[in-house]
Protein backbone atom coordinates (compact mmCIF):
# COMPACT_ATOMS: atom_id res chain seq x y z
CA UNK A 1 0.00 0.00 0.00
CA UNK A 2 1.29 3.43 -0.92
CA UNK A 3 -0.42 6.25 0.86
CA UNK A 4 -0.07 10.00 1.26
CA UNK A 5 -1.26 11.79 4.40
CA UNK A 6 -2.18 15.41 3.75
CA UNK A 7 -3.11 18.10 6.23
CA UNK A 8 -1.74 21.22 7.91
CA UNK A 9 0.90 21.12 10.66
CA UNK A 10 -0.66 19.74 13.83
CA UNK A 11 -3.42 17.87 11.98
CA UNK A 12 -2.25 14.54 13.41
CA UNK A 13 -0.49 13.09 10.36
CA UNK A 14 2.46 11.79 12.37
CA UNK A 15 0.28 10.20 15.05
CA UNK A 16 -1.90 8.46 12.48
CA UNK A 17 1.10 7.42 10.39
CA UNK A 18 2.60 5.64 13.41
CA UNK A 19 -0.62 3.71 13.92
CA UNK A 20 -0.66 2.72 10.24
CA UNK A 21 2.93 1.51 10.56
CA UNK A 22 1.95 -0.81 13.40
CA UNK A 23 -1.13 -2.11 11.66
CA UNK A 24 0.15 -2.51 8.12
CA UNK A 25 3.85 -3.13 8.68
CA UNK A 26 5.01 -0.53 6.18
CA UNK A 27 7.30 2.39 7.02
CA UNK A 28 6.37 6.00 7.70
CA UNK A 29 8.39 8.32 5.49
CA UNK A 30 8.32 11.68 7.24
CA UNK A 31 10.41 14.25 5.42
CA UNK A 32 10.27 16.40 8.57
CA UNK A 33 11.87 13.56 10.60
CA UNK A 34 14.45 12.90 7.88
CA UNK A 35 15.38 16.58 7.70
CA UNK A 36 15.62 16.86 11.49
CA UNK A 37 17.91 13.81 11.50
CA UNK A 38 20.07 15.48 8.84
CA UNK A 39 20.25 18.68 10.92
CA UNK A 40 21.17 16.65 14.00
CA UNK A 41 23.86 14.76 12.10
CA UNK A 42 25.24 18.00 10.66
CA UNK A 43 25.17 16.76 7.05
CA UNK A 44 25.34 19.14 4.06
CA UNK A 45 21.57 18.81 3.63
CA UNK A 46 21.03 19.47 7.32
CA UNK A 47 23.18 22.59 7.20
CA UNK A 48 21.19 23.94 4.26
CA UNK A 49 17.81 23.07 5.77
CA UNK A 50 18.22 24.22 9.37
CA UNK A 51 17.53 27.96 9.10
CA UNK A 52 14.63 27.40 6.70
CA UNK A 53 13.02 24.88 9.06
CA UNK A 54 13.54 27.08 12.10
CA UNK A 55 11.73 29.89 10.27
CA UNK A 56 8.78 27.64 9.44
CA UNK A 57 9.37 27.82 5.71
CA UNK A 58 9.67 24.99 3.25
CA UNK A 59 12.97 23.39 2.32
CA UNK A 60 13.68 23.35 -1.42
CA UNK A 61 11.86 20.86 -3.60
CA UNK A 62 15.18 19.57 -4.97
CA UNK A 63 16.42 18.62 -1.50
CA UNK A 64 13.28 16.82 -0.33
CA UNK A 65 12.66 15.11 -3.66
CA UNK A 66 16.19 13.70 -3.60
CA UNK A 67 15.76 12.46 -0.01
CA UNK A 68 12.50 10.69 -0.78
CA UNK A 69 13.70 9.19 -4.07
CA UNK A 70 16.59 7.59 -2.22
CA UNK A 71 14.44 6.44 0.69
CA UNK A 72 11.78 4.63 -1.36
CA UNK A 73 14.43 2.40 -2.88
CA UNK A 74 15.27 0.92 0.52
CA UNK A 75 14.15 -2.70 0.95
CA UNK A 76 11.66 -1.89 3.73
CA UNK A 77 9.63 0.17 1.25
CA UNK A 78 9.10 -2.75 -1.13
CA UNK A 79 5.64 -3.52 0.26
CA UNK A 80 4.61 0.10 0.43
CA UNK A 81 4.99 3.22 2.56
CA UNK A 82 3.18 6.12 4.13
CA UNK A 83 4.27 9.57 2.99
CA UNK A 84 3.84 11.95 5.93
CA UNK A 85 4.50 15.63 5.24
CA UNK A 86 5.49 14.97 1.64
CA UNK A 87 4.58 16.08 -1.00
CA UNK A 88 4.05 19.66 0.16
CA UNK A 89 4.16 21.51 -3.18
CA UNK A 90 2.83 20.85 -6.66
CA UNK A 91 6.41 20.37 -7.87
CA UNK A 92 6.86 17.66 -5.23
CA UNK A 93 3.55 16.06 -6.20
CA UNK A 94 4.72 15.84 -9.82
CA UNK A 95 8.01 14.40 -8.58
CA UNK A 96 6.11 11.65 -6.72
CA UNK A 97 4.27 10.77 -9.91
CA UNK A 98 7.53 10.45 -11.83
CA UNK A 99 9.29 8.53 -9.05
CA UNK A 100 6.49 6.00 -8.84
CA UNK A 101 5.94 5.61 -12.56
CA UNK A 102 9.70 5.17 -13.14
CA UNK A 103 9.51 2.25 -10.71
CA UNK A 104 6.35 0.86 -12.26
CA UNK A 105 4.31 1.42 -9.11
CA UNK A 106 1.34 3.61 -8.28
CA UNK A 107 -0.23 5.53 -5.46
CA UNK A 108 -3.21 3.94 -3.74
CA UNK A 109 -4.85 6.74 -1.79
CA UNK A 110 -4.35 10.27 -0.52
CA UNK A 111 -5.98 10.86 2.85
CA UNK A 112 -6.55 14.47 3.89
CA UNK A 113 -7.03 15.15 7.60
CA UNK A 114 -9.49 18.04 7.70
CA UNK A 115 -9.10 20.18 10.81
CA UNK A 116 -10.22 23.48 12.24
CA UNK A 117 -7.27 25.91 12.05
CA UNK A 118 -8.19 27.42 15.39
CA UNK A 119 -7.43 24.11 17.12
CA UNK A 120 -4.03 23.71 15.51
CA UNK A 121 -1.95 26.19 17.43
CA UNK A 122 -3.25 24.65 20.69
CA UNK A 123 -2.16 21.20 19.48
CA UNK A 124 1.31 22.48 18.62
CA UNK A 125 1.73 24.10 22.04
CA UNK A 126 0.57 20.84 23.67
CA UNK A 127 3.06 18.84 21.59
CA UNK A 128 5.85 21.11 22.82
CA UNK A 129 4.65 20.84 26.44
CA UNK A 130 4.37 17.03 26.20
CA UNK A 131 7.89 16.77 24.76
CA UNK A 132 9.27 18.95 27.53
CA UNK A 133 7.42 16.97 30.23
CA UNK A 134 8.80 13.65 28.95
CA UNK A 135 12.34 15.01 28.74
CA UNK A 136 12.44 14.92 24.94
CA UNK A 137 13.82 17.76 22.86
CA UNK A 138 11.24 20.39 21.93
CA UNK A 139 11.04 21.19 18.22
CA UNK A 140 12.25 24.71 17.56
CA UNK A 141 9.35 25.32 15.18
CA UNK A 142 6.65 24.17 17.64
CA UNK A 143 5.77 27.60 18.98
CA UNK A 144 2.94 29.99 18.09
CA UNK A 145 5.09 32.52 16.19
CA UNK A 146 6.74 30.01 13.86
CA UNK A 147 3.53 28.04 13.62
CA UNK A 148 1.82 30.99 11.92
CA UNK A 149 4.44 30.92 9.19
CA UNK A 150 4.10 27.14 8.82
CA UNK A 151 0.35 27.54 8.37
CA UNK A 152 0.88 30.32 5.81
CA UNK A 153 3.26 28.08 3.88
CA UNK A 154 0.66 25.33 4.04
CA UNK A 155 -2.06 27.49 2.50
CA UNK A 156 0.24 28.99 -0.11
CA UNK A 157 1.98 25.84 -1.26
CA UNK A 158 0.40 22.66 0.10
CA UNK A 159 -3.34 23.29 0.17
CA UNK A 160 -3.49 23.25 -3.69
CA UNK A 161 -2.58 19.55 -3.51
CA UNK A 162 -6.10 18.70 -2.37
CA UNK A 163 -7.41 19.92 -5.74
CA UNK A 164 -4.57 18.14 -7.52
CA UNK A 165 -5.44 14.78 -5.99
CA UNK A 166 -9.17 15.34 -6.13
CA UNK A 167 -8.88 15.82 -9.89
CA UNK A 168 -7.03 12.52 -10.11
CA UNK A 169 -9.79 10.76 -8.15
CA UNK A 170 -7.33 9.88 -5.36
CA UNK A 171 -8.44 12.21 -2.56
CA UNK A 172 -10.30 10.95 0.51
CA UNK A 173 -11.12 13.31 3.34
CA UNK A 174 -11.27 12.34 7.00
CA UNK A 175 -12.49 14.43 9.95
CA UNK A 176 -9.26 15.19 11.78
CA UNK A 177 -11.10 16.86 14.67
CA UNK A 178 -12.46 13.54 15.94
CA UNK A 179 -10.64 11.55 18.65
CA UNK A 180 -7.36 9.88 17.67
CA UNK A 181 -9.05 6.45 17.71
CA UNK A 182 -11.99 7.68 15.63
CA UNK A 183 -9.65 9.21 13.05
CA UNK A 184 -7.71 5.94 12.86
CA UNK A 185 -10.96 4.02 12.35
CA UNK A 186 -12.04 6.39 9.60
CA UNK A 187 -8.70 6.09 7.81
CA UNK A 188 -8.89 2.29 8.02
CA UNK A 189 -12.39 2.41 6.53
CA UNK A 190 -11.12 4.58 3.67
CA UNK A 191 -8.23 2.17 3.02
CA UNK A 192 -10.51 -0.86 3.11
CA UNK A 193 -12.87 0.78 0.60
CA UNK A 194 -9.94 1.70 -1.66
CA UNK A 195 -8.60 -1.87 -1.52
CA UNK A 196 -12.02 -3.24 -2.41
CA UNK A 197 -12.30 -0.85 -5.36
CA UNK A 198 -8.97 -2.07 -6.81
P1 LIG B 1 7.10 18.51 9.69
O1 LIG B 1 7.80 17.67 10.70
O2 LIG B 1 6.44 17.70 8.61
O3 LIG B 1 6.17 19.50 10.31
O4 LIG B 1 8.23 19.36 8.95
C1 LIG B 1 9.04 20.27 9.66
C2 LIG B 1 9.71 21.22 8.68
O5 LIG B 1 10.56 20.48 7.79
C3 LIG B 1 8.78 22.01 7.77
O6 LIG B 1 8.27 23.18 8.39
C4 LIG B 1 9.73 22.32 6.62
O7 LIG B 1 10.63 23.35 6.94
C5 LIG B 1 10.52 21.04 6.49
N1 LIG B 1 9.84 20.06 5.60
C6 LIG B 1 9.33 18.86 5.94
N2 LIG B 1 8.81 18.23 4.87
C7 LIG B 1 8.98 19.08 3.82
C8 LIG B 1 8.63 19.03 2.45
N3 LIG B 1 7.98 17.97 1.94
N4 LIG B 1 8.97 20.08 1.67
C9 LIG B 1 9.63 21.14 2.17
N5 LIG B 1 9.97 21.27 3.45
C10 LIG B 1 9.66 20.25 4.29
Amino acid sequence: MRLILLGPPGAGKGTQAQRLVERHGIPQLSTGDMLRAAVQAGTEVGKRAKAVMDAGELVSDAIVNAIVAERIDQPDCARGFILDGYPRTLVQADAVESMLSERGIGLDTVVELVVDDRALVGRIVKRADDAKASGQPVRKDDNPAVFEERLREYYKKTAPLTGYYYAKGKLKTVDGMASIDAVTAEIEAVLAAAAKAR
Side-chain angles (χ1 to χ4, degrees):
M1 178 178 66
R2 283 169 292 271
L3 171 74
I4 290 175
L5 288 179
L6 274 185
K13 301 184 298 294
T15 302
Q16 295 300 331
Q18 281 163 18
R19 289 179 161 215
L20 290 164
V21 167
E22 279 167 30
R23 202 176 156 108
H24 298 273
I26 52 174
Q28 166 194 16
L29 309 191
S30 157
T31 41
D33 285 349
M34 295 180 214
L35 289 166
R36 278 185 288 278
V39 170
Q40 194 71 34
T43 65
E44 254 335 287
V45 163
K47 282 181 198 151
R48 283 162 64 192
K50 186 178 183 319
V52 179
M53 293 172 74
D54 286 350
E57 293 162 12
L58 293 189
V59 174
S60 79
D61 291 326
I63 289 183
V64 286
N65 288 341
I67 292 179
V68 174
E70 198 184 309
R71 181 67 185 87
I72 63 173
D73 285 333
Q74 302 296 312
D76 64 332
C77 291
R79 285 184 52 245
F81 45 80
I82 303 150
L83 293 175
D84 160 15
Y86 177 90
R88 256 173 155 105
T89 65
L90 289 167
V91 171
Q92 293 177 21
D94 283 338
V96 174
E97 292 274 315
S98 316
M99 272 178 225
L100 297 185
S101 70
E102 278 162 16
R103 291 162 176 80
I105 52 182
L107 192 63
D108 295 298
T109 311
V110 178
V111 175
E112 181 193 7
L113 298 180
V114 179
V115 286
D116 178 349
D117 285 356
R118 287 166 301 184
L120 293 176
V121 72
R123 287 189 182 188
I124 292 286
V125 169
K126 184 175 180 311
R127 180 158 78 188
D129 288 347
D130 287 350
K132 209 184 287 172
S134 63
Q136 283 170 343
V138 176
R139 280 175 55 171
K140 248 191 162 166
D141 58 352
D142 271 353
N143 65 70
V146 178
F147 178 76
E148 261 185 46
E149 181 57 26
R150 291 165 66 195
L151 198 57
R152 260 197 300 274
E153 286 282 82
Y154 173 78
Y155 278 113
K156 249 190 301 187
K157 298 173 181 167
T158 311
L161 297 189
T162 58
Y164 176 97
Y165 288 116
Y166 175 81
K168 289 179 185 289
K170 296 271 186 215
L171 187 73
K172 303 283 178 232
T173 56
V174 162
D175 174 12
M177 295 307 291
S179 70
I180 293 175
D181 285 346
V183 175
T184 305
E186 217 187 313
I187 294 175
E188 291 298 346
V190 161
L191 297 181
K196 218 171 180 183
R198 277 200 297 277

